[in-house]
Amino acid sequence: MQGIDRRLIQNFEWPLFTMAVLVAGIGIVNLISASPEQTATGLPDTALRQLVWLGIGVVLMFATLVPDYRTLERFALPIYAIVMALLVAVLVGGRIVNGSQRWLDFGPLNLQPSELAKLAMIVLFARILARRSVSAPVGLRDLVVPGILIAIPAALILKQPDLGTTLVVCIVSASFLVVTRVRVFSFVLLAAFGAAAAIAAWVFYLHDYQKERVFTFLDPERDPLGTAYHAIQSQIAVGSGGLFGKGFGQGSQSQLDFLPEQQTDFVFSVLGEEWGFVGVAVVLVLYLGILLRGLMIAHSSKDLFGSYLALGVVALFFWAGVINIGMVIGVLPVVGVPLPMLSYGGSALLTCMVALGLLMNVSMRRYIF
C-alpha cells in the first residue's frame, strides 16, 4: 500500500495509542453509568452508539497514518474552504436541536462541521507558520490575514449558536502565537483587538442565556434554582465523590437526574462522584501523558510543519480539557465544550481520534526522513 513503510509499523506509536484507548474506554464505562436507560444489548443507547463511534474513530485513526502528513500542507487551504462551506450549509439547512443549528444529516449519520473546523484551523496555521522564517518577527501586518481566517469560522459557529466551540477554535488558533516572535507593539494591538471583538460579540452575537451564564459565574447565588443550577449540582457531584468515590452507578446526583447534561458537558462530574479523587487523578494523568507525548513528538519532528501540527493537536486537547473541567468545578463559566474522548458525541470523538492519528503520523515518520 502506498505510503506504508515497514519502519512505520516497527515504530508504531504505542504509548499514545494505549493512553488514547484507555481514556476512551473509561469514557464508555462512565457513559454506561451516566445513561441509566437500557437497550436489548444490555447497554444504554448512548454508550452503545459511542462504542460504535469509537470503532469508526479507531479505523479513521489508522487511515490517517497511511498518507504522509506533509501532503496536508498542500491541501490546507482546500480543507479550510470545504469546512467553511459545510459551516455555511449548517446555517442554511442544518438540523435544529434545542434551539441550536449545528448538525448536517447524512442519512443515519449526523455531522457537526464545527468540530472539523478545529482540525482545519490546526492544519492551516501549521502551514502558515511552516512557510515563515523562524527568526523573522511577527508584525501587525502578518496578523491581518490569520485574524480574518479565524474570524470567518468563529462568526459562523457563533451564529449556530455554539459559544464553547467558538472559544476553542479561537484559543487553539491563537495558541500558535506562543511559538512565534510577536513584536510587543503588535501583541498589545492584538490584545486590544481581541478585547474589542469580545465586546462586539457580547453586544451583537451572544444570546441572553449565554450572557446570563457569565453573570451567574460571577455571582453563583444570583439564581441558584435557575441559571446557576447546573454549576451548583456539578460542584456537589464532584465534591461528594471524596477519595475513592461512591462506586459505579451509585452517584446520587447522576442517578437521580439532579445533574444536567451528564452524558456530554458534565460527564466529568459523573466521573468525580462515582470514582472520586483517585479516578479523576487517573484520567488526568492519562491526559497529561497524551499532552507530554504530543510535545515530545513536536520537539522531535524533522520538519516545521510536523512540529506545528503536533503543537496544534496538543493545544486542542489542552484547552478543551481545561475549559470543560474548569466549567465543571466552577472556576469557569458554563459553556458547551465536550471533554475529549469522555463526553458523548460522535463528531467530537472522531475529531479527537483523527487528531491523535495526526500526532502518530508525525511521530512515526520521523524515523524515515
Side-chain angles (χ1 to χ4, degrees), residues 23-369:
V23 173
I26 292 173
I28 297 294
V29 173
N30 203 44
L31 278 177
I32 293 174
S33 179
S35 313
E37 73 279 359
Q38 299 290 321
T39 63
T41 63
L43 293 176
D45 184 56
T46 50
L48 184 62
R49 281 185 285 179
Q50 189 79 344
L51 189 60
V52 172
W53 282 116
L54 178 59
I56 297 173
V58 171
V59 172
L60 288 179
M61 173 191 284
F62 282 105
T64 306
L65 302 180
V66 176
D68 192 324
Y69 68 87
R70 290 171 294 179
T71 59
L72 288 175
E73 187 173 356
R74 298 198 302 269
F75 295 104
L77 286 174
I79 291 172
Y80 176 84
I82 291 171
V83 173
M84 295 308 104
L86 290 175
L87 289 175
V88 172
V90 168
L91 297 180
V92 173
R95 185 163 62 93
I96 300 176
V97 178
N98 297 327
S100 298
Q101 193 169 3
R102 304 176 185 175
W103 295 268
L104 289 175
D105 290 332
F106 294 96
L109 302 179
N110 298 316
L111 178 67
Q112 191 173 351
S114 58
E115 289 293 331
L116 300 181
K118 301 172 184 177
L119 293 177
M121 297 305 296
I122 290 173
V123 174
L124 182 61
F125 274 79
R127 175 187 184 273
I128 292 174
L129 290 177
R131 297 192 174 191
R132 281 184 51 84
S133 172
V134 178
S135 59
V138 177
L140 189 60
R141 290 182 181 179
D142 301 313
L143 296 173
V144 173
V145 172
I148 295 173
L149 293 174
I150 296 173
I152 294 173
L156 292 173
I157 297 172
L158 196 57
K159 189 68 176 177
Q160 295 179 0
D162 190 349
L163 177 60
T165 304
T166 303
L167 288 174
V168 172
V169 168
C170 292
I171 295 175
V172 170
S173 300
S175 296
F176 284 100
L177 292 174
V178 176
V179 292
T180 58
R181 293 181 57 198
V182 182
R183 293 190 178 98
V184 175
F185 179 71
S186 299
F187 188 82
V188 172
L189 288 180
L190 184 65
F193 174 79
I199 294 173
W202 178 273
V203 175
F204 298 108
Y205 278 94
L206 293 191
H207 293 250
D208 290 339
Y209 76 90
Q210 293 172 325
K211 296 178 181 179
E212 191 62 30
R213 287 177 178 177
V214 177
F215 291 136
T216 300
F217 166 70
L218 297 174
D219 181 13
E221 301 302 322
R222 174 186 177 92
D223 188 10
L225 298 179
T227 55
Y229 181 80
H230 291 193
I232 292 174
Q233 295 301 318
S234 174
Q235 293 172 53
I236 292 174
V238 174
S240 64
L243 183 60
F244 296 105
K246 298 178 179 178
F248 177 75
Q250 301 301 313
S252 57
Q253 297 298 109
S254 57
Q255 300 302 316
L256 298 178
D257 290 332
F258 287 108
L259 189 63
E261 305 295 339
Q262 60 191 27
Q263 301 161 2
T264 52
D265 296 343
F266 290 93
V267 71
F268 188 80
S269 306
V270 179
L271 180 73
E273 183 178 28
E274 298 192 350
W275 300 103
F277 175 81
V278 173
V280 166
V282 170
V283 172
L284 292 181
V285 167
L286 288 173
Y287 274 135
L288 180 62
I290 291 173
L291 295 178
L292 292 177
R293 190 66 184 175
L295 292 176
M296 291 173 60
I297 293 171
H299 178 72
S300 61
S301 174
K302 300 300 183 181
D303 69 323
L304 286 176
F305 180 72
S307 293
Y308 290 132
L309 198 62
L311 286 173
V313 173
V314 169
L316 173 61
F317 276 81
F318 174 78
W319 287 114
V322 166
I323 293 174
N324 179 277
I325 296 174
M327 169 190 74
V328 163
I329 63 177
V331 298
L332 290 175
V334 175
V335 291
V337 174
L339 188 59
M341 296 185 292
L342 260 74
S343 293
Y344 172 72
S347 296
L349 181 58
L350 294 185
T351 298
C352 289
M353 301 307 285
V354 171
L356 290 172
L358 292 176
L359 263 184
M360 296 167 66
N361 196 321
V362 175
S363 174
M364 293 162 61
R365 278 185 166 78
R366 75 182 187 270
Y367 294 102
I368 61 176
F369 266 78

